[in-house]
Each structure stands twice: as C-alpha cells, then as structure tokens.
Amino acid sequence: MSFLLIVLLFVLVVSTLTGSANNYYNEPLGNKGLTDCSNTNDYLTITNVSSNIFGQTIKPGHKYYFKGIINLKKEIKWGIMHAKITHQFKNYVNLTFEDANYNLCDISVSVTGKYCPLKPGIYHGIYKDTIPSVLWPGKYIFKIHGYNEDNVELFCAMTEVNVEK
C-alpha cells in the first residue's frame, strides 16, 4: 500500500512540476463530439460521425454506438488499432484504464463487415458496445490511433466522455 502511495505521489509531483496534468495534444473541448487528432489525412478520413454519447453524461452499463463514413484513400493490408481510455483524476493526474493494441483487420470486420485487405473506397461503419462497470465517475478521454503494416499513422480520433454512477 505504501509503495502505491509513493508512486501516486511521484506521478502527482512530476505532473504538477511539468505542467502535464493533461498530457493530450489536441484534447477535445468538452463532450461535444469526435476530435480528429490525425497528423495527416493521406490514408483515410472519417466523416458524418454520430453517437448517442456525444453531449451526454453516461453511466456504467449504458449501451453506446459510434457510426460514420470512412473514405479510404489507400489500400490497407494489415494494421494495428491502439486504444487508450484515460481518466483525469481530481485534475492532478491522468489514470489509464485501457492501453491496448487490437488487430485493425478484426476491428474492420466488426465495424464495416469488410475483411482485409481493404481497397480504397467508401465504407459505412458502426461500433456498438457497453460502458464498462469499472469506470469511476468523472471525465474520460477515449482515444484511438490506427497504424498500417509499415507503422504509418492512418487515423487518430478522440472524444471526451463524462461518467456518473
């Protein structure tokens, strides 16, 4: 227990001294929608994004969806999707609840119904899930990055979500 306290204290001091209580570039401004944090749109763009959680306070167990249109400009043979869910705890430190890599081709099948390789074109996608019960009340940043087989960024998107119990 004391080790955990020391680690939290260290993170708190470092984040306060460096001014990095919020270490996200292009952080979404409020719970208003999806923010495109991509370095480039050379590979794809995502438009007409909607969700039943934009502008809403949600609770664990709440079913949600994201849907949109993907304009794929270059073929994707294989890729990784990096997903991160971070909670700003007491405006001092960001706690990570998820930091995981997924097979982008598996995600593509569940979102668009299309298998890799993905040819250039227009794809309609929808993702449905349930808010996990492990999330504490407060503000969260959900962020995803997609990378191709050469580790080149394909896309980046983030949204802010407010969770209450």
Side-chain angles (χ1 to χ4, degrees), residues 18-38:
T18 62
S20 62
N22 194 343
N23 60 2
Y24 278 93
Y25 299 103
N26 304 320
E27 179 184 347
L29 301 173
N31 183 10
K32 297 180 182 142
L34 197 70
T35 300
D36 181 354
C37 49
S38 302

Side-chain angles (χ1 to χ4, degrees), residues 40-51:
T40 178
N41 289 323
D42 290 347
Y43 279 85
L44 63 87
T45 55
I46 304 171
T47 59
N48 296 355
V49 178
S50 64
S51 176

Side-chain angles (χ1 to χ4, degrees), residues 69-74 118-123:
I69 299 172
I70 302 159
N71 181 2
L72 186 60
K73 300 171 186 172
K74 297 180 183 179
L118 295 172
K119 302 291 184 196
I122 304 293
Y123 296 88

Side-chain angles (χ1 to χ4, degrees), residues 39-107:
N39 293 323
T40 178
N41 289 323
D42 290 347
Y43 279 85
L44 63 87
T45 55
I46 304 171
T47 59
N48 296 355
V49 178
S50 64
S51 176
N52 63 332
I53 64 172
F54 292 159
Q56 304 294 318
T57 299
I58 56 176
K59 295 181 178 187
H62 179 95
K63 294 187 184 310
Y64 69 94
Y65 71 86
F66 289 98
K67 65 180 177 179
I69 299 172
I70 302 159
N71 181 2
L72 186 60
K73 300 171 186 172
K74 297 180 183 179
E75 182 180 54
I76 298 175
K77 295 178 185 166
W78 182 85
I80 293 288
M81 186 184 81
H82 179 230
K84 194 169 194 175
I85 301 174
T86 307
H87 172 60
Q88 192 175 27
F89 182 69
K90 303 216 181 237
N91 293 326
Y92 293 119
V93 67
N94 287 330
L95 300 176
T96 301
F97 277 76
E98 178 183 17
D99 190 356
N101 290 323
Y102 300 97
N103 183 317
L104 187 61
C105 293
D106 291 343
I107 299 295

Side-chain angles (χ1 to χ4, degrees), residues 117-136:
L118 295 172
K119 302 291 184 196
I122 304 293
Y123 296 88
H124 294 267
I126 186 163
Y127 178 78
K128 296 178 182 180
D129 208 344
T130 303
I131 300 297
S133 60
V134 298
L135 298 182
W136 301 337

